Amino acid sequence: MGTGGDSPPPQLLLLFILTILRWNWRGAAALGCNWGAISSHPLPADIAVGLLKDNGFDRVKLFEADSRALKALGRSGIQVMVGIPNEMLAPLASSVRAAEQWVAQNVSNYISRNGVDIRFPFLITCTRVALFSFPRASSETIKKRYVAVGNEPFLKSYSSMFQATTFPALQNIQAALIKAGLGRQVKVTVPLNADVYQSSNGLPSGGDFRTDIRSLMLSIIAFLRDNACPITINIYPFLSLYADPNFPVDYAFFSGAANPLVDGPIAYTNVFDANYDTLIWALERNGFSDLPVIVGEIGWPTDGDPNANANNARHFIQGLLDRISRRVGTPKRPALPPDIYLFALVDEDVKSVQPGNFERHWGVFYFDGAVKYPLVLAGGGSLVPAKGVRYLEPEWCVMSPAASLTDPQLGGSVEYACQYADCTSLGRGSTCGDLGARGNISYAFNQFYQTADQQKGACGFGNLSVVTRADPTEGVCRFEIMIDIRHHDESFSSSNGGPAAGVVQGMAAGIATTAAVATTAMVSLATWSSWYLARGF
């Protein structure tokens, strides 16, 4: 006997309910992260993808179309936003054909051949990393695909370098996506720094776009609106604290303990809400009240500054996760939290330190995928480290016990080591800042030795250094052993985020003038040149 009428069988009804429940849970627990690779020893792509999956990150933003990353992400179930570097904006702006070639090579190719899911579950009423997303019950909310055109191209420090090329590049990429038959699935966005807007009265309600780019911003926003695309904004409460010694510390976090900033009927207890709502006011003031907004980057570094430490990072990120899991928005957009991309997955030891030494330490994980600090994830889970990482030999280069701190060659040797390796953890208030003189020297020597893949002679600072198999790690200061990229079949390349060519040239010049080190045991220029050439520079 049938079930009668149009009613579905009970088994199908139960399956439907379970599917909806699982879908809603996944929406509440979705994690996203920015994945950069400006590193001397980048985490192998397959291991990085495993790290993302094991920790519940189901979305990732790439800063460029890195082939190894995209191939590793193929059929992983992780949704990808692929970025276009600022340096590519000019050719893409000047040629529709160049934009079509870029889309063919970096979007169509990986979608069709590798099964890469270049898409984002952006809210239609509203996404660069989406930490938690709460999609509505419509297939359209999980089918939108995006390309990020540029990365903070209107930063004041760029002095209008990319102002003439960003919008034309944006238009050409969108046109190329339409021509490729991807116009309905793949849309464009521009990740912007929060300095594109300002307030006339110091309150969110005074928000408007920066006067020097206001006309350009309104044109871009109108284009995004007309093509059902979101705007992407990067917000860093840490930088507010870093830039102003009088900034109230509690106001950078989500604890609610800060004295509120009162704006009419609204009391803001954290700088993120105030910053985000300043943008919302700017959009509303110019007639774009319903434009979707992605938070493309948000995070907290763990080293390189007294306020950049694991305790503060855990406090900030945990507070962010907790409020998003509770679906807490901002006063101006309270119904749903903004989709947010956490910055960043891992540390990057070759990033520019022009903003500050902290710039190399934004990762939730260390460079090798080791966990920095505990977090309670949705459902009560915890972070887990990367699996399958292979390291160089367990040996370190340290200052020789027989060496004297008064040796005249010591200062030049340390300076040389830190010129070509990352010593940002040695600064005031940093994790290795309290080692004492011998410890600091050992740290610098080891960083150089590890960055050089423990090559023969890389610990050759004359009679000042020795190789040891006793781990000199002290307290929170880690004496690293680098990833053995040769066994992972990973090579350095400036095209995939490796050290810039200028770094290599500088190192060659430094090696050629070894008077600063003045040791006959220092590795030769020919050895170093072959080492770098083997890595694709």
Side-chain angles (χ1 to χ4, degrees):
M1 185 176 179
T3 55
D6 295 326
S7 300
Q11 298 92 332
L12 288 180
L13 183 60
L14 178 61
L15 179 62
F16 174 77
I17 293 173
L18 291 175
T19 300
I20 291 297
L21 288 174
R22 180 180 181 274
W23 177 75
N24 283 333
W25 180 86
R26 288 289 295 170
L31 284 163
C33 201
N34 288 273
W35 174 13
I38 308 178
S39 174
S40 65
H41 291 69
L43 194 64
D46 58 335
I47 293 179
V49 171
L51 180 65
L52 289 164
K53 294 178 67 174
D54 289 345
N55 288 284
F57 292 96
D58 70 351
R59 299 164 204 166
V60 67
K61 181 183 177 185
L62 303 177
F63 291 90
E64 58 184 312
D66 179 273
S67 61
R68 289 174 299 176
L70 287 168
K71 288 177 182 177
L73 286 162
R75 299 177 179 85
S76 66
I78 297 174
Q79 299 163 1
V80 183
M81 178 185 281
V82 63
I84 297 175
N86 291 336
E87 292 72 21
M88 294 184 63
L89 294 177
L92 294 174
S94 62
S95 169
V96 175
R97 178 59 180 158
E100 292 171 353
Q101 290 175 340
W102 188 93
V103 167
Q105 294 171 3
N106 300 299
V107 180
S108 305
N109 177 48
Y110 288 104
I111 290 175
S112 61
R113 296 182 59 183
N114 297 95
V116 178
D117 194 0
I118 302 177
R119 70 177 184 178
F120 290 83
F122 298 100
L123 302 173
I124 299 305
T125 61
C126 86
T127 198
R128 167 166 151 194
V129 176
L131 266 172
F132 292 86
S133 169
F134 305 100
R136 298 180 177 180
S138 164
S139 61
E140 272 301 297
T141 62
I142 58 174
K143 297 298 182 183
K144 292 293 182 183
R145 301 164 184 259
Y146 289 80
V147 171
V149 180
N151 183 42
E152 299 184 335
F154 304 144
L155 272 174
K156 291 180 181 178
S157 59
Y158 288 157
S159 301
S160 71
M161 185 183 305
F162 305 109
Q163 289 185 19
T165 55
T166 300
F167 189 24
L170 182 73
Q171 293 170 307
N172 286 348
I173 288 292
Q174 178 66 11
L177 290 169
I178 293 172
K179 185 174 181 179
L182 299 171
R184 292 177 61 85
Q185 306 101 305
V186 183
K187 297 293 178 75
V188 290
T189 187
V190 181
L192 299 165
N193 187 273
D195 73 350
V196 299
Y197 48 88
Q198 57 195 11
S199 174
S200 59
N201 59 6
L203 300 172
S205 59
D208 202 349
F209 295 104
R210 231 171 59 207
T211 54
D212 62 312
I213 57 170
R214 187 172 183 275
S215 177
L216 175 58
M217 281 297 303
L218 295 183
S219 296
I220 289 175
I221 291 169
F223 178 82
L224 294 174
R225 178 201 59 193
D226 294 345
N227 287 276
C229 299
I231 188 173
T232 299
I233 201 72
N234 301 336
I235 299 176
Y236 285 104
F238 168 80
L239 295 181
S240 298
L241 188 60
Y242 177 76
D244 182 1
N246 298 315
F247 190 87
V249 175
D250 287 340
Y251 197 57
F253 298 92
F254 298 104
S255 61
N259 291 327
L261 174 69
V262 178
D263 189 1
I266 300 174
Y268 289 96
T269 60
N270 68 81
V271 69
F272 172 81
D273 284 353
N275 192 315
Y276 186 86
D277 278 3
T278 302
L279 170 61
I280 303 305
W281 274 104
L283 291 170
E284 291 182 357
R285 177 164 280 109
N286 292 283
F288 301 99
S289 59
D290 295 327
L291 187 75
V293 177
I294 306 166
V295 177
E297 298 178 19
I298 186 171
W300 198 282
T302 56
D303 213 347
D305 182 78
N307 287 312
N309 56 67
N311 287 335
N312 281 351
R314 183 202 57 78
H315 183 35
F316 179 81
I317 299 299
Q318 190 65 66
L320 180 65
L321 297 182
D322 291 346
R323 64 181 267 135
I324 298 176
S325 67
R326 298 194 309 269
R327 307 190 181 196
V328 175
T330 66
K332 288 292 290 180
R333 291 213 174 165
L336 288 169
D339 289 348
I340 301 174
Y341 278 91
L342 192 62
F343 189 85
L345 182 64
V346 293
D347 287 346
E348 301 169 78
D349 68 340
V350 190
K351 288 189 72 176
S352 169
V353 294
Q354 185 175 0
N357 285 344
F358 57 83
E359 194 65 20
R360 295 177 176 176
H361 304 280
W362 287 100
V364 174
F365 299 90
Y366 289 105
F367 77 101
D368 58 350
V371 176
K372 287 185 177 180
Y373 47 81
L375 288 174
V376 179
L377 306 179
S382 301
L383 294 176
V384 296
K387 298 182 178 70
V389 179
R390 300 181 67 175
Y391 296 89
L392 298 172
E393 289 297 312
E395 60 184 41
W396 297 261
C397 178
V398 298
M399 183 178 178
S400 171
S404 171
L405 289 173
T406 61
D407 191 303
Q409 305 301 329
L410 200 55
S413 297
V414 171
E415 182 179 357
Y416 182 88
C418 291
Q419 182 179 355
Y420 300 114
D422 178 27
C423 295
T424 54
S425 294
L426 289 175
R428 182 185 64 86
S430 299
T431 56
C432 302
D434 297 323
L435 293 179
R438 301 189 78 91
N440 287 344
I441 294 164
S442 291
Y443 183 88
F445 285 174
N446 186 64
Q447 286 295 97
F448 184 89
Y449 183 60
Q450 302 298 336
T451 302
D453 279 349
Q454 300 180 356
Q455 290 285 314
K456 183 179 181 180
C459 192
F461 295 93
N463 61 353
L464 301 177
S465 59
V466 294
V467 174
T468 178
R469 295 183 74 86
D471 187 351
T473 291
E474 182 178 332
V476 295
C477 179
R478 290 173 29 128
F479 277 64
E480 306 286 7
I481 296 290
M482 288 297 182
I483 298 170
D484 189 346
I485 58 174
R486 294 165 297 186
H487 284 92
H488 283 294
D489 195 28
E490 295 278 332
S491 61
F492 299 122
S493 170
S494 59
S495 65
N496 65 17
V503 174
V504 182
Q505 294 167 359
M507 186 169 190
I511 295 168
T513 56
T514 56
V517 182
T519 64
T520 57
M522 181 58 68
V523 65
S524 69
L525 175 60
T527 301
W528 284 110
S529 297
S530 63
W531 179 69
Y532 271 93
L533 288 172
R535 281 151 180 79
F537 284 110

